[in-house]
Amino acid sequence: MNKILTQKYDREFTISLIKKSFELGSQKIVEEIKNSGLLGRGGAMFPTGLKWELVKKRNGKKFIVCNAEEGELYTFKDRFLLKNFPYKIIDGMIIASVAIGAEKGFVYINEKYKKEIEILKNLIKEYKKENLLGENILFKNYKFEIEIIESNGRYITGEETALLNLIEGKRPIPRLKPPYPTQQGLFNNPTLVNNVETFSFIPHIISNGAEWFKNFGVENSYGTKLICLTIDNKKVGVFEIELGKLKIYEIIEKYATLKIKDVKTVLPSASSCLLFPEKFDIKYDFESLKNNNTSLGTGGMFIFTKNFFVFNEIKKIVNFFVKESCGYCVPCRVGLKRVYEMISVVENLKNEKLSDKLDSIKKLSLVIKETSRCALGQSALNSLISYIEAIENGKYRNLY
């Protein structure tokens, strides 16, 4: 069975996990997570164990933040986990608290997830009643509290430092790095920020061990990944797949139940670059996608069939990032809006005029990508740039 995140377990298992965490202690937990090779599933792919170690080594008060904003287009995997496996997130945070020495944790959750927020709040109440959260956890001299903070529905707060600013009551703009949150995060204290999917792996790794986890996936992409499939703007569902074991075309055939000849292009996530049929034989893992000039991102995969007008969706993506920009830096605030204005007038252009206009759009997009303050501006136009390059290379006729 090649599933991890979608395996259920009961409360007795949670109790045994917490007891085991106390027995292992801080250093051994961090070593186990490091040895597992678990990469963060929020999009940046930073080694989870290394991040935990960096926070552990700092002195003073520490915090844990679970990022459950999930505001990106086509992505709804965290909502799936919050609804069906919320206890894994809480257990992962408790284990993390033992590992780094934090007494306070926050779950920063998308305000649109009303049902999931209620589920999480009720679960935290249950954990407190059962001495699994709060003071004297499992009757030991150990304390860890979790607080739910509902987001204001802004995509930018998915960026960890913008999220920290908002929790502090400040304007949600990304901070310059360094210092990193592991050094100076929430209220200037060392802070561990991981997303929902990352925390959900932790109970399984601590229960079964790092080597067990590395039996899943491939080198540099260990474990499984939740993918959210959307076909021509219709949500298909959330699926757990083992990294590096399936190729793009196999995902299309198995989970989207489409024939390859009917697919025009694939966008691995809203902030990544398009993949065309000649690349459908690459494996779905972090390294393979990176080596093919795109990225796995958050796992929100959009599949375009040959009946769908790709350009309209690219415009939608650009407009999304225009609206979600925090407005702090000029390249993102002004540049994205200008790009959207430019692409909104090209549909009626033909031949040389279209070619010139697309060239201008691409040049401006590349400037924005290189000069924006944070990952939003740096990745917002990836799909557009790859689309224009596809036209330049003859994959599309005009704006097909």
Side-chain angles (χ1 to χ4, degrees):
M1 184 176 182
N2 59 345
K3 308 294 183 185
I4 300 175
L5 296 173
T6 49
Q7 286 186 33
K8 292 185 177 182
Y9 61 76
D10 59 22
R11 196 61 53 83
E12 288 301 316
F13 187 79
T14 291
I15 294 170
S16 68
L17 271 174
I18 298 174
K19 286 180 178 178
K20 185 173 183 178
S21 298
F22 288 147
E23 291 168 3
L24 287 173
S26 173
Q27 186 60 39
K28 287 186 178 179
I29 292 173
V30 171
E31 287 176 2
E32 202 69 40
I33 302 304
K34 280 185 70 177
N35 292 338
S36 74
L38 174 65
L39 300 179
R41 298 302 201 250
M45 300 172 289
F46 191 84
T48 303
L50 175 58
K51 183 182 283 190
W52 287 29
E53 183 177 56
L54 292 171
V55 181
K56 177 187 176 299
K57 288 181 177 179
R58 308 295 292 190
N59 295 320
K61 191 173 185 179
K62 300 168 187 177
F63 293 102
I64 294 173
V65 177
C66 175
N67 188 344
E69 166 53 35
E70 193 169 52
E72 186 163 298
L73 290 170
Y74 322 129
T75 308
F76 39 92
K77 63 181 177 63
D78 289 353
R79 188 172 203 172
F80 170 82
L81 288 170
L82 287 160
K83 181 179 179 181
N84 298 289
F85 306 95
Y87 50 88
K88 294 190 180 186
I89 300 151
I90 301 300
D91 293 352
M93 292 179 71
I94 294 171
I95 294 167
S97 77
V98 178
I100 69 167
E103 293 186 354
K104 179 75 174 184
F106 298 88
V107 178
Y108 182 83
I109 185 169
N110 194 315
E111 66 173 358
K112 296 175 184 175
Y113 293 179
K114 300 298 183 185
K115 184 175 181 180
E116 290 74 18
I117 291 170
E118 199 61 34
I119 289 172
L120 212 52
K121 286 181 176 178
N122 289 333
L123 185 61
I124 288 172
K125 288 179 183 177
E126 290 175 16
Y127 268 52
K128 285 183 176 180
K129 286 180 181 178
E130 298 171 25
N131 273 108
L132 300 175
L133 275 176
E135 303 276 355
N136 301 316
I137 293 177
L138 291 181
F139 305 103
K140 293 184 179 290
N141 185 27
Y142 189 79
K143 173 185 177 182
F144 182 61
E145 301 276 358
I146 294 179
E147 181 179 339
I148 306 296
I149 296 181
E150 297 180 39
S151 82
N152 65 351
R154 292 291 307 277
Y155 171 77
I156 189 62
T157 55
E159 198 281 333
E160 59 181 4
T161 59
L163 179 159
L164 297 178
N165 276 339
L166 197 63
I167 293 177
E168 292 177 6
K170 299 173 183 176
R171 182 180 172 187
I173 58 173
R175 303 174 185 176
L176 290 176
K177 304 173 190 176
Y180 297 95
T182 54
Q183 303 166 307
Q184 191 174 317
L186 196 58
F187 306 114
N188 294 320
N189 294 293
T191 303
L192 172 66
V193 184
N194 282 134
N195 88 320
V196 167
E197 190 174 356
T198 306
F199 275 122
S200 297
F201 279 110
I202 302 304
H204 297 282
I205 294 172
I206 294 304
S207 175
N208 299 293
E211 292 306 313
W212 169 86
F213 182 75
K214 291 169 82 170
N215 287 322
F216 296 84
V218 293
E219 188 175 1
N220 298 321
S221 291
Y222 293 115
T224 60
K225 181 76 184 74
L226 292 182
I227 59 171
C228 317
L229 281 187
T230 301
I231 303 174
D232 295 351
N233 269 327
K234 295 178 182 177
K235 288 183 180 179
V236 178
V238 178
F239 306 93
E240 182 176 11
I241 69 166
E242 192 171 353
L243 288 167
K245 299 300 174 71
L246 290 178
K247 296 180 179 180
I248 298 296
Y249 78 83
E250 291 174 316
I251 293 174
I252 293 170
E253 292 176 340
K254 183 174 181 178
Y255 296 106
T257 61
L258 291 171
K259 295 179 180 179
I260 299 304
K261 66 181 181 63
D262 296 326
V263 177
K264 188 183 298 182
T265 184
V266 169
L267 187 63
S269 75
S271 56
S272 60
C273 297
L274 293 165
L275 283 173
F276 296 91
E278 65 270 21
K279 294 288 184 73
F280 286 177
D281 63 343
I282 66 171
K283 292 180 178 179
Y284 187 81
D285 60 63
F286 298 117
E287 198 84 352
S288 297
L289 289 171
K290 182 180 178 181
N291 291 339
N292 282 276
N293 300 315
T294 188
S295 64
L296 191 150
T298 56
M301 182 184 288
F302 192 108
I303 299 173
F304 298 84
T305 70
K306 291 189 175 179
N307 297 320
F308 197 80
F309 191 29
V310 181
F311 182 70
N312 283 346
E313 197 63 26
I314 299 296
K315 281 175 60 180
K316 176 183 170 181
I317 293 170
V318 175
N319 191 40
F320 169 81
F321 286 115
V322 169
K323 293 177 179 178
E324 294 297 335
S325 170
C326 75
Y328 186 83
C329 71
V330 173
C332 191
R333 181 182 72 246
V334 179
L336 290 182
K337 188 174 182 181
R338 180 59 182 143
V339 167
Y340 183 72
E341 290 170 350
M342 292 171 75
I343 64 174
S344 295
V345 299
V346 301
E347 289 178 84
N348 297 321
L349 298 178
K350 302 293 181 183
N351 303 326
E352 290 184 7
K353 287 186 178 181
L354 173 61
S355 179
D356 291 342
K357 181 65 74 173
L358 290 178
D359 185 59
S360 298
I361 293 170
K362 181 182 174 182
K363 286 178 180 177
L364 177 56
S365 298
L366 290 171
V367 170
I368 295 167
K369 182 180 176 69
E370 292 297 322
T371 58
S372 289
R373 181 183 176 96
C374 79
L376 189 154
Q378 293 163 11
S379 61
L381 300 172
N382 283 340
S383 60
L384 174 64
I385 293 169
S386 63
Y387 181 79
I388 293 173
E389 289 176 345
I391 293 175
E392 292 173 341
N393 295 330
K395 291 186 176 68
Y396 286 136
R397 182 177 298 172
N398 295 333
L399 292 172
Y400 177 71

